[in-house]
Every structure is written in C-alpha cells, then in structure tokens.
Amino acid sequence: MTLFGYWRSSAAYRVRIALNLKGLQYEQKSVHLIKDGGQQHAEDYADLNPNKLVPTLVDGEFTLNQSLAILEYLEIKYPNINLLPANLADNMKCRALALDLACDIHPLNNLRVLQYLTGPLAQSEEQKMQWYFNWLEVGFTAFEKSINKVAGNFCFGDHVSWADLCLIPQVYNAERFNFDMSPYPLIQRVVAHCRTLDAFTKAAPENQPDAV
Amino acid sequence: MTLFGYWRSSAAYRVRIALNLKGLQYEQKSVHLIKDGGQQHAEDYADLNPNKLVPTLVDGEFTLNQSLAILEYLEIKYPNINLLPANLADNMKCRALALDLACDIHPLNNLRVLQYLTGPLAQSEEQKMQWYFNWLEVGFTAFEKSINKVAGNFCFGDHVSWADLCLIPQVYNAERFNFDMSPYPLIQRVVAHCRTLDAFTKAAPENQPDAV
C-alpha cells in the first residue's frame, strides 16, 4: 500500500496511526502542501485525488481518498485488529466522536481555509488565530462533555478507536499553535495515554520521512 | 424514532432522505437554529447533543449525533434497503463521495460559520457570499470530476447511495443562494433524477412541518 500524505496533515496522521495499529506495511509518498505552491495542486496528484487534499491511499489497483473512508476500508480489509467496538451502539458512538472532530473542527482549521482567510478575505494573522482558536474551543468543549461518561484510557473506554485516531492529530495541531489545553482534562488524559503507544508515536508528524 | 432537526439543515435533510428511502416511521422535533438565539444552544438540547448542532436521532434509549454516524446506524439496523453498494471497493467510493461533501464543503458553509464571519470577524455580506461561493466552487468542481467515470442516474451508477443523500441537500443550499450550477452538468443530472423520487421530495426543506 502507498499512502500519499504530508507529515503535518491531521488527516494523513489519522491513517498512519491506523496502519501502525494494524501492523500493516506501507510506503509513504510525500505531497508537500506548501512547496511549489502546494504539490497537491499538481495535475498528476489532482487526477488521483480531485479534491487536491491528502491523504490518498493506493492499494494495488484501488485508490481511495478521505481519511475516514480509508479507515473504514482498513477496518474491513484488515480486521486483525479492530479499531471500532463490536457492539452496535458503542461502535456508532465512536464513529460519532470521530466525526465530531473530522467534520466539526478539522475542516475549519486546515491549511487551505487559513490561507483563504489571510489571502482573499485579507484577515490579519491575529484574526486568523482568533478563528482557529474559536473552533478548537467550541469543538473541544463539546468533545470533553461527550466523552465525560465514556472515557477510560481512550476516548471510549479502554479500547482504542477512531475517536482517538482523530483526537491525537487535532491536539497536536492545537499544541503547535500554543492553544491552552488545560480546560480539557479528559482529553489531556487520553492524549497522554495514547502517546505512550508505539503506533501513535511512530505516526507523529516529527517522525515522518518528510518532516522538516 | 425521533429526529431532532431543522427544515433547512443539510445534515438533517440527509437523514430524512435515508429514513424515507428505508420506509421508516419517525417523529420530527424541530430545533429552530435562529429563533431564541438558536434553540440548539438550549441546555436540554446541549445535553442531548454537546455539539449544539442538528441532527440528533433518538431510537428508544439510544441517542446518536452526526448525520453520517446516523446513516451508518440506519444502514446496519434497517438493512431492508441498502444505501451503500455491497461490493467493497464501490462501497468505499460512495463513502468517500459522501465525505467529500460532508467534510470538505458543508462544514465551511453552515450557519454557525457564516455567523462567525459576519459577527466576530466583521466581514460584509458580500465577503460572506464570496467565502460561501468559493467553497462550493472548489468542492463541486472536484465532485464533478470524481463522479465523471461512475455517475449514472445517481452519483455512483444507478443505485442510490450516501453520495446522493449528501449531494441533494448541498445543491439545495447552493441554489438557495443563487449559485450557478451550470458548470456541473453531471451533478445537475443526478439532482434532476433524485428530485423525481418521493423519498427525496418528502425530505425537502419546504415539505417539513417546521418550514416557514
């Protein structure tokens, strides 16, 4: 399998954790999101992924974009390690937690959106950070409440799930911009535990071949 | 089942189409996103859905947020009608198409985001619409390309899927603001076909009990 990604992409980071947890071998191809005006806009990459976003997974003849679709694919094709609970209700709750992060925080704070704010909308760096912190605060406040009755070592009890795979990259991003995580003790507890695990550490941005 | 939603919410609209296609009975409870400063912020609703967004599905004792998690739940619990292909690769492609819309267009253009642009970021109505149209254009251009080799009557061949359930509400929103859909003939063809179907018509915003 080949994963087209970028070291700092939260969405690629999610998939790297899943691949590592399942013990799958994969090759990484770096799509540098800034160099050359963004290599994701190059014609050959846009043919692979019309959204011009990362990640894209290529498994033999099969090409798939969208990190959550890729997680689903890996879940079905490589069920040796399950990253969602077997119980229907628990399974759905973990999916919803992952989507809370992947739909309601991450799309608002990714690179192209921040570039649009400071470019066409002519916002200052300060306004950009106000925007960025606002959606983190709204999202993490809700997430902290959502996991209040279910968190264990992980977001949902003591079994790693997609919720953790989406949370760790989002928190990495928040910390990178010095966002104060102290109002979210449950999130911090889960993050601290995940960071003790090899699959998470190996997937961290600074440990990728294209890290600068 | 009870669906907490709002007539103009794209995410609630997706779920209504799924419920209708599967022939399921459900009660609707309206969460008015504007009245009273937004009823989604009321304490009792925020306890049900900490994200203070719609929809939320309540099925007996089970409560679930996130429209795509709700679609998954309905798919597993009520498999009488399948809204995803059985074949693994096709199934994943439909999921990715749905996520293209649900992650890469919709979160950028929903009410709370537009309110933040004109509120705290003090953008004009014109700048707000520039933002809105930009993400529609970026997203629909990619989507049109993505369905180029696979579209039939629906986004993916001749079988309705989550891709259609996400597309129709997004196009409804675009048309509401007079966004020009003519550069997207495949999308327009799929939308025209879906609009001939009762399940889609019954789910349309103007046909909901809380429509104004």
Side-chain angles (χ1 to χ4, degrees), chain A residues 51 63 66 93 100 123, chain B residues 63 66 93 100 104 112 123:
Chain A
N51 296 296
T63 299
Q66 289 293 346
K93 286 289 188 185
D100 286 344
Q123 301 296 290
Chain B
T63 299
Q66 288 293 346
K93 286 289 188 185
D100 287 343
D104 293 333
R112 63 179 191 159
Q123 300 296 289

Side-chain angles (χ1 to χ4, degrees), chain A residues 34-66:
Chain A
I34 296 163
K35 208 160 62 181
D36 312 327
Q39 295 177 344
Q40 71 279 21
H41 300 293
E43 202 174 328
D44 56 344
Y45 186 71
D47 283 343
L48 203 64
N49 184 332
N51 296 296
K52 305 177 182 175
L53 294 167
V54 292
T56 305
L57 183 79
V58 177
D59 189 7
E61 297 295 298
F62 185 60
T63 299
L64 189 61
N65 70 317
Q66 289 293 346

